[in-house]
Amino acid sequence: MTFATLGLIEPLLRALETLGYQTPTPVQAQAIPAVLAGRDLMAAAQTGTGKTAGFALPLLQLLTMEGPKVAANSARALILCPTRELAEQVHASVAEYAQNLPLTTYAVYGGVSINPQMMKLRKGVDILVATPGRLIDLFRQNALKLNQLQTLVLDEADRMLDLGFSEELANIYRMLPKKRQTLLFSATFSDEIRTLAGQMLNDPLSIEVSPRNVAANTVKQWVVPVDKKRKAELFVHLMRKGRWKQVLVFAKTRNGVDALVDKLQGLGINADGIHGDKPQATRQRALDRFKSSDVQILVATDVAARGLDIEDLPLVVNFDLPIVAEDYIHRIGRTGRAGNTGEAISLVCADEVNMLSAIEMLTRQTLTRKMEPDFEPEHRVPDTDASGQVVKKPKKPKKPKASGGGGGKRNLGKWVESGDLAPAEPSIKPVRKVPVFNTGPRKKK
Ligand code: AMP
């Protein structure tokens, strides 16, 4: 199958050729014809599957072929994303795909001044990528009207709900024209997402990239048990031993990010950090410098790193395990993308045993443990397995095995479908409920 056989127009095919995309990914093969046919879509796919092109390519084609010229302070398509970084990333991809088309694109998000965004919107933009809060601000200040909207894309819908945007989504829903095409992408499908889909979508086509199974088989994962107070020391030790070049490190809290970055910088290691307390410009600069390999170690909280696409990232380290088990899947999904292989190492202390157990249950696997000589924990991490059982009584410590680095094989070029990162059931339920929108039945298109 080629992009041409999916019915894409020549300027898009040329852009894809420039980008070196040869074969449509599974989500693209399913989404492109459906969106071109005008269908609403409910797609189980997450970042790394090629979903951005899956919705952006047909969307760009429809905007080029159909509909009026964009009016002042209007947008013809709106792509909602959970974080600023993701909005920037999606916008960059859309702009690349649109390089040969007479369409305008723009991204708006909070944390930066609203005035330039208002100025930019004056002439209207064909495709607007936005985070929910800033979109509402712009709408309320009359900088944006949505009556010309043809298409709405909800990208990473589950993350939007996890981040507490359900109220904002309900508000945005009220601002939308009834007649529109809506595409919803989500890595996981909780009851809340299904409710949201039921309200926002009209007779949607459901697509799932591949069957739900265990975590990515393109990512080699293991755990190094360690005492909490020695985690930073172990990290530096492993880094030097494995000669790590580019590592994305996840810490649980903002303070945790700052403390690790300080420690690494104090040792002369080229590290930087991103978290929600930092100004947007600083976050973006750190990310850009990491992507261009000017920064070797990027330490991040989950929120700041959500959905980031970093080309050829070989290694993710969980300095702390995430509190929500599903975040583990998102984190390790930063590596092993687009057919490459990657590694994910988790430094786990005894306090985190329940989180480890929840992750193993969710991903239906028992993570391999590798003791690092001289770092065997005094507080043993109790045994766990995929059944969710934690063996409280510690067994006698085994003789430490040498830890292995295991270089990741590269598989570049043609798209290789990565192992599905969707979690196995039962999934962890988001804490917040989706409000019920009492707007009556949607009009048929
Ligand atoms: P996404 O899931 O949209 O974040 O895409 C993940 C990565 O795959 C991005 O770096 C895309 O540029 C790349 N990609 C998307 N579709 C294709 C394709 N058909 N062939 C090769 N690379 C692709």
Side-chain angles (χ1 to χ4, degrees):
M1 188 192 298
T2 63
F3 284 104
T5 55
L6 292 176
L8 292 178
I9 53 176
E10 192 272 333
L12 287 171
L13 296 177
R14 248 188 306 134
L16 294 175
E17 207 179 309
T18 313
L19 293 169
Y21 292 13
Q22 288 165 12
T23 322
T25 69
V27 71
Q28 290 161 3
Q30 292 181 66
I32 292 171
V35 178
L36 286 177
R39 291 290 302 266
D40 277 8
L41 211 65
M42 181 161 118
Q46 69 169 17
T47 315
T49 56
K51 71 177 163 67
T52 315
F55 63 74
L57 294 169
L59 174 68
L60 290 166
Q61 179 152 333
L62 292 179
L63 292 171
T64 308
M65 313 295 280
E66 297 169 9
K69 207 172 161 290
V70 70
N73 292 105
S74 297
R76 295 170 64 207
L78 172 64
I79 303 171
L80 282 178
C81 298
T83 63
R84 305 150 188 184
E85 282 83 1
L86 197 59
E88 272 293 349
Q89 185 177 296
V90 167
H91 176 250
S93 298
V94 171
E96 276 184 328
Y97 303 143
Q99 58 186 265
N100 303 316
L101 296 172
L103 297 172
T104 50
T105 64
Y106 189 49
V108 293
Y109 38 78
V112 293
S113 165
I114 198 166
N115 291 335
Q117 299 179 349
M118 293 171 88
M119 299 272 284
K120 180 80 187 182
L121 286 173
R122 275 192 192 159
K123 283 189 180 161
V125 288
D126 290 294
I127 300 148
L128 183 66
V129 186
T131 53
R134 181 51 59 97
L135 182 88
I136 292 174
D137 287 348
L138 288 162
F139 184 84
R140 291 201 174 134
Q141 299 196 37
N142 293 322
L144 179 68
K145 290 177 279 190
L146 291 175
N147 46 338
Q148 244 199 349
L149 198 81
Q150 290 174 223
T151 313
L152 169 73
V153 181
L154 297 164
D155 195 16
E156 307 224 349
D158 50 350
R159 306 318 305 177
M160 288 202 268
L161 294 185
D162 284 352
L163 292 175
F165 284 131
S166 55
E167 201 66 44
E168 282 84 350
L169 290 181
N171 283 332
I172 292 169
Y173 178 75
R174 285 191 279 269
M175 293 157 22
L176 299 170
K178 291 280 170 281
K179 187 174 176 306
R180 59 164 201 277
Q181 186 176 22
T182 308
L183 317 173
L184 182 146
F185 288 79
S186 192
T188 52
F189 276 85
S190 60
D191 291 347
E192 283 78 4
I193 292 287
R194 288 183 195 284
T195 311
L196 181 77
Q199 287 151 346
M200 292 257 198
L201 305 177
N202 180 18
D203 185 24
L205 182 79
S206 293
I207 64 173
E208 195 162 359
V209 181
S210 52
R212 292 176 159 229
N213 54 24
V214 293
N217 53 22
T218 53
V219 181
K220 194 173 157 209
Q221 307 160 57
W222 75 90
V223 162
V224 187
V226 63
D227 281 331
K228 196 187 213 159
K229 58 178 191 295
R230 295 196 69 199
K231 276 192 179 186
E233 200 188 331
L234 172 64
F235 178 85
V236 174
H237 166 81
L238 290 174
M239 191 192 131
R240 290 190 170 142
K241 184 172 148 185
R243 293 167 199 253
W244 293 346
K245 292 205 168 57
Q246 194 192 20
V247 196
L248 179 62
V249 186
F250 286 95
K252 200 163 52 189
T253 62
R254 294 162 185 193
N255 287 342
V257 169
D258 289 340
L260 183 59
V261 170
D262 284 351
K263 164 122 192 160
L264 296 176
Q265 286 178 345
L267 291 168
I269 295 166
N270 184 357
D272 207 342
I274 53 173
H275 57 61
D277 270 353
K278 298 204 175 202
Q280 179 55 23
T282 316
R283 280 161 69 169
Q284 195 62 46
R285 197 168 46 244
L287 185 63
D288 291 343
R289 294 188 63 226
F290 181 63
K291 283 186 176 183
S292 63
S293 300
D294 290 335
V295 162
Q296 186 187 0
I297 314 279
L298 186 68
V299 191
T301 54
D302 286 292
V303 169
R306 186 89 62 219
L308 298 183
D309 181 31
I310 298 158
E311 221 170 302
D312 290 347
L313 181 66
L315 177 63
V316 165
V317 172
N318 292 311
F319 189 81
D320 303 307
L321 285 184
I323 296 167
V324 177
E326 277 178 4
D327 280 340
Y328 176 82
I329 296 170
H330 289 284
R331 287 179 177 190
I332 70 165
R334 302 304 110 225
T335 177
R337 295 157 75 79
N340 295 329
T341 54
E343 293 176 71
I345 305 173
S346 302
L347 313 187
V348 178
C349 65
D351 285 359
E352 294 173 305
V353 69
N354 289 330
M355 297 171 203
L356 178 62
S357 168
I359 289 163
E360 291 182 336
M361 204 164 88
L362 185 72
T363 59
R364 292 197 195 133
Q365 63 182 337
T366 306
L367 291 169
T368 308
R369 296 186 183 199
K370 291 186 181 179
M371 287 288 184
E372 186 59 29
D374 299 329
F375 285 90
E376 298 89 351
E378 279 171 26
H379 301 282
R380 195 174 177 280
V381 182
D383 287 343
T384 50
D385 62 32
S387 72
Q389 268 191 334
V390 176
V391 182
K392 294 279 185 224
K393 274 233 161 116
K395 287 185 207 155
K396 261 183 127 186
K398 283 187 192 146
K399 244 182 112 190
K401 281 187 221 150
S403 81
K409 257 192 284 165
R410 291 262 172 262
N411 189 355
L412 293 165
K414 207 164 171 270
W415 181 275
V416 180
E417 192 183 347
S418 70
D420 183 20
L421 291 173
E425 302 291 352
S427 64
I428 305 289
K429 300 245 183 253
V431 199
R432 295 175 191 85
K433 290 260 176 261
V434 182
V436 177
F437 317 131
N438 285 323
T439 50
R442 290 271 320 276
K443 275 192 209 145
K444 283 264 173 256
K445 280 182 260 182

